[in-house]
Amino acid sequence: MYQRVLSASLALCLIAPSALHAAAPQWSESAVADRSATERLAIALEHSAEGAYTEAHEWLEAAADAGSSEAKIHLGYFHQHGRGVEQDGERALEWLERGVEAGETGFALRLAWDYLEGELVDPHRERAEHWFQHAIEHGYHEAHLGLGSILLTDVVGGDERRADEARAHFEAALDEGLVLASYYLARMYREGLGVDRDPERAMHYLEIGAESGDPQISSVMADWLEEMRHEL
């Protein structure tokens, strides 16, 4: 009896997982019609897990049409990576924007960096600033660093009109515990970038970074701090 049960169990293990449950429905207007956005998304993700990306894309579009913000984000990734559709950076960002505008605010920061770095489309500073600001308004404090760094680039280039705004973003980031902001603030005060040069204040921010315990920041800031101490 035990051997028969064991043999049956082994046989089940050899059956493809898709054979153990009903296959995901194929897309058709009639198949879509009576299903909610949530159901359409679930079917799309099931097809995607099976590698049936063209079918998954059809269901994602149906889910997006029914109001699924999550489906819009997935469509962005499908267009970015060419899954079931031709790879298209502009369409990818278009779908990501639709998803963020529909409520997936956590992807606003990703959008901002995509526009700033120009990996999917040509760099677009205005769009980057827009989405960094959108992320800030929805509580994603890392966006202060991104927006501040854009503005600081202008200051370094000689345009100091938005120096106060850059500094305010770095201060806001530091208030939220993002110690990388201390590097930017230290640099501004050490080099007099849009502010009066103030070595003591620069050292204050360097000390914050050096004592942060962050392995990516503390050693660099400590070295810079020691260098400034020798200068004074």
Side-chain angles (χ1 to χ4, degrees):
M1 176 66 179
Y2 172 78
Q3 288 182 332
R4 287 200 299 272
V5 172
L6 179 60
S7 297
S9 298
L10 289 172
L12 283 173
C13 291
L14 295 174
I15 298 174
S18 59
L20 298 178
H21 58 76
Q26 298 297 300
W27 184 92
S28 69
E29 290 186 4
S30 59
V32 167
D34 295 329
R35 287 184 165 88
S36 67
T38 301
E39 291 171 323
R40 296 175 188 185
L41 176 61
I43 293 169
L45 296 181
E46 192 171 347
H47 280 297
S48 181
E50 296 287 338
Y53 297 126
T54 300
E55 191 71 22
H57 180 265
E58 296 279 8
W59 281 98
L60 283 174
E61 286 200 327
D65 288 344
S68 171
S69 58
E70 187 178 345
K72 294 171 184 177
I73 297 297
H74 282 291
L75 283 165
Y77 281 101
F78 268 51
H79 282 278
Q80 177 183 350
H81 298 289
R83 291 185 173 180
V85 290
E86 187 174 341
Q87 195 170 15
D88 187 331
E90 288 187 7
R91 288 284 288 162
L93 292 179
E94 179 183 326
W95 275 113
L96 288 173
E97 287 192 354
R98 291 183 186 181
V100 172
E101 289 167 350
E104 299 292 330
T105 56
F107 290 88
L109 193 57
R110 150 75 195 274
L111 266 174
W113 285 114
D114 281 339
Y115 277 117
L116 184 62
E117 295 174 349
E119 292 185 5
L120 299 180
V121 294
D122 291 338
H124 196 306
R125 172 177 167 149
E126 289 75 15
R127 297 304 295 163
E129 283 196 38
H130 169 79
W131 289 112
F132 277 130
Q133 189 60 50
H134 186 94
I136 289 168
E137 291 169 0
H138 287 83
Y140 295 94
H141 306 298
E142 297 90 341
H144 283 295
L145 291 172
L147 190 48
S149 66
I150 290 177
L151 302 177
L152 185 58
T153 300
D154 290 342
V155 177
V156 172
D159 183 357
E160 298 187 352
R161 289 174 296 178
R162 300 180 73 183
D164 287 345
E165 192 177 346
R167 178 172 50 81
H169 281 296
F170 294 136
E171 289 175 347
L174 190 58
D175 287 344
E176 296 297 335
L178 299 171
V179 293
L180 180 58
S182 64
Y183 162 80
Y184 291 109
L185 288 164
R187 184 183 176 193
M188 290 184 77
Y189 283 104
R190 184 186 188 189
E191 300 177 23
L193 298 174
V195 296
D196 291 335
R197 191 172 181 277
D198 188 337
E200 289 188 3
R201 198 160 186 183
M203 289 179 68
H204 164 70
Y205 287 117
L206 287 173
E207 287 172 352
I208 292 174
E211 296 170 2
S212 68
D214 187 313
Q216 293 182 315
I217 298 173
S218 57
S219 61
V220 174
M221 301 287 270
D223 290 343
W224 197 6
L225 181 61
E226 189 64 25
E227 181 182 322
M228 283 200 71
R229 284 174 175 158
H230 285 300
E231 291 175 358
L232 295 177

